[in-house]
Structure formats: C-alpha cells, structure tokens
Amino acid sequence: MKKNLSLRLLQIISLVVLLAGAGISLGLMLHTGRSNRSVLLLILFTAWVLSPFVVLLTANVVAKRWSVLPRRALYGFMLVLTLGSLLSYSGALSPPGTKPAAVFLIVPLISWLLIAIVIPVAASWSRRLSRSAS
C-alpha cells in the first residue's frame, strides 16, 4: 500500500511539474518571440515547443499498464526533462551570442531524441518484468 501511495504521489508531482513546465515554456517562447509579426511562425514554434510535453503526457497514460519500476523511471524522466527544458529556455545554459530562437528549436529536438530512447526502453523493461513475474 505504501509503495502504491509513493508511486501515485510521484506521478502527481511529475504531472503537475510537466503541465506547469509546458505553460512556462510556452510563456517564455511567446516572450522571446514577441517582436515577431508572423502568426504562422508563432503557431509552428508553439507546436514544436509543446510537442515533447504532449508526448510525455500521453506516455503517462500508456504507462498505467507498466510495472512499478519503469513507471517510476518515467516519472523521474518527466521531471528531469521538464526542469532541463525550463533551465534551457530561461537562457541559463545558452552560450553568449546564441540567438534566442535557437534554444526553442534545439531543446525540443533533444527532448524528442531522449524520449525516443527512454520510452521504448521503459516499455520493454516493463514487458520483461511482467513476463518474469508471471
């Protein structure tokens, strides 16, 4: 019972951080692009910046069928990726002279690459744990 409660708490915390991170990321992106007059470009940037958060939100739904350890790893990954994105979008990790828009292109790309590795590995891990438990 205590394990389920701590897993549920970790899930709730990771979801709150993920949703807040998505909102803050969107706000930082809109603030950075405030002088841009192209509505289409803002829409494309919005979709690109929010896409990793949407995928992680979807993974959270799919992960409900996973074993405990892979779910715990997913929730931790959600926290790390969200906080890393926010740190990057804030400009704290940008080298001097970097164009602000570059961060909003590169961070989602790196996020997608990490997601493409972590989610399938966690799903596979869960399947193996399920088979060994039965």
Side-chain angles (χ1 to χ4, degrees), residues 16-94:
V16 168
V17 169
L18 181 77
L19 294 173
I24 294 167
S25 296
L26 180 62
L28 289 169
M29 187 268 309
L30 290 172
H31 178 73
T32 301
R34 68 189 175 279
S35 62
N36 189 327
R37 301 262 186 247
S38 172
V39 175
L40 178 61
L41 195 58
L42 282 176
I43 291 170
L44 291 173
F45 264 96
T46 297
W48 182 239
V49 167
L50 292 180
S51 64
F53 298 104
V54 171
V55 170
L56 288 175
L57 195 59
T58 304
N60 174 65
V61 173
V62 172
K64 289 182 180 178
R65 298 184 300 248
W66 292 359
S67 303
V68 173
L69 289 175
R71 283 174 40 199
R72 197 176 295 266
L74 173 67
Y75 302 147
F77 175 67
M78 289 167 62
L79 289 169
V80 168
L81 195 73
T82 300
L83 296 175
S85 295
L86 290 175
L87 190 61
S88 299
Y89 292 147
S90 73
L93 301 178
S94 298

Side-chain angles (χ1 to χ4, degrees), residues 6-26:
S6 67
L7 182 65
R8 182 71 179 136
L9 183 61
L10 181 60
Q11 180 189 26
I12 290 168
I13 290 169
S14 65
L15 283 173
V16 168
V17 169
L18 181 77
L19 294 173
I24 294 167
S25 296
L26 180 62

Side-chain angles (χ1 to χ4, degrees), residues 67-70 122-134:
S67 303
V68 173
L69 289 175
S124 174
W125 184 22
S126 180
R127 282 191 298 274
R128 275 186 280 160
L129 286 173
S130 296
R131 275 189 242 135
S132 66
S134 43

